[in-house]
Amino acid sequence: MSAPSISPAGLAGRHGLDLDAASVRVEEAGLDYRVAFARDIDGAEWVLRIPRRPDVSAKLAEEQRILAFVAPRLSTAVPRWEVCSEELIAYRRLPGSPGLTLDGSGQPVWHVEPSSPEFAAALGRLIAELQALDIEAARTAGIPASSMSEIRTRWRADLKRVGAEFEIASHLLASWQTWLDDDALWSERTAFTHGELYAAHVLIEDPSRIVGVLDWTTAKVGDPAADFTYQHMMGPAAFDATVAAYLDAGGVPLPHLAERCAALAAAAPLVYGLFALQTRDPQHRAAAAALLLPAE
């Protein structure tokens, strides 16, 4: 892993990439990666991803397999890594601009209106394209794949693990147990999913055209509701427009989709508790504890 004192430009130089140090702009907000944007001495623009922890670097081979699988199968661009090591990933910047970025203080800056009909429709078409990918081909390519029964069992185990380490508010525990026990919310169909599909991870040229998709770390064959969850959080109009576009583009109807998305969103404190246990970071642990047992 890279030492914190090494600059992104210095780190890139160690990997044969000659950057203009004055052009480097760093975003620190990511939980798993520091991200930097820069130009090389010939003027080409690059994106640098710097893993924060060894467990992040351990998943690089898996993400490479994911990118190799989706790149020739999607109409949108995905990163093509030209540098890949335990301390640095680098690729040429893709066309388009993120729909969401963070300012210098870490506050979100929206570059697209997530509830706009144009963006909602573009997102629905993208999800339909993702979920049309052949899941057997994905498995053969080494993409992580689980049945819905396995996913449900894993959620139960995750809840037990977090509950052994943190105190969980009774209302959260009851809500999650109700979700896990409700057969109607666990349709057997799986699909290829990005896993964190929202404005920050898509590149747009106008609200109706998504030209690239970033950050494939969480992609897998799994719960098809996952890629609708962030849009569900944007409100019913945005969600309904996305689902309508998904169906118009040939997407398979998903039973109880709104309820499933709401349940996945409500499980965020549980997911963060797992992340805190994985990182063993005291700050993340304290933040997770506050989410799992909020003050009255």
Side-chain angles (χ1 to χ4, degrees), residues 5 15 29 48 60 95 98 103 125 128-129 135 137 154 157 194-195 218 236 243 252 258 262 266 270 293 296:
S5 59
H15 291 77
L48 313 179
L60 293 182
D103 64 18
R125 291 190 293 269
E129 189 175 5
I135 61 176
R154 191 177 304 125
H194 176 278
T218 57
V243 173
V252 177
L270 174 57
L293 189 66
E296 296 292 336

Side-chain angles (χ1 to χ4, degrees), residues 10 13 24 56 66 70-71 83 88 104 125 142 144-145 166 185 190 205 229 243 246 249 259 264 268 296:
V24 176
V56 176
I66 292 166
V70 298
V83 174
L88 177 68
R125 291 190 293 269
F166 295 93
L185 302 184
T190 59
E205 288 189 342
T229 300
V243 173
Y246 162 81
E259 294 89 342
L264 287 172
E296 296 292 336

Side-chain angles (χ1 to χ4, degrees), residues 16-34:
L17 185 56
D18 197 356
L19 298 181
D20 173 5
S23 73
V24 176
R25 176 174 61 85
V26 178
E27 287 189 359
E28 294 283 4
L31 294 176
D32 292 333
Y33 292 91
R34 297 173 68 208

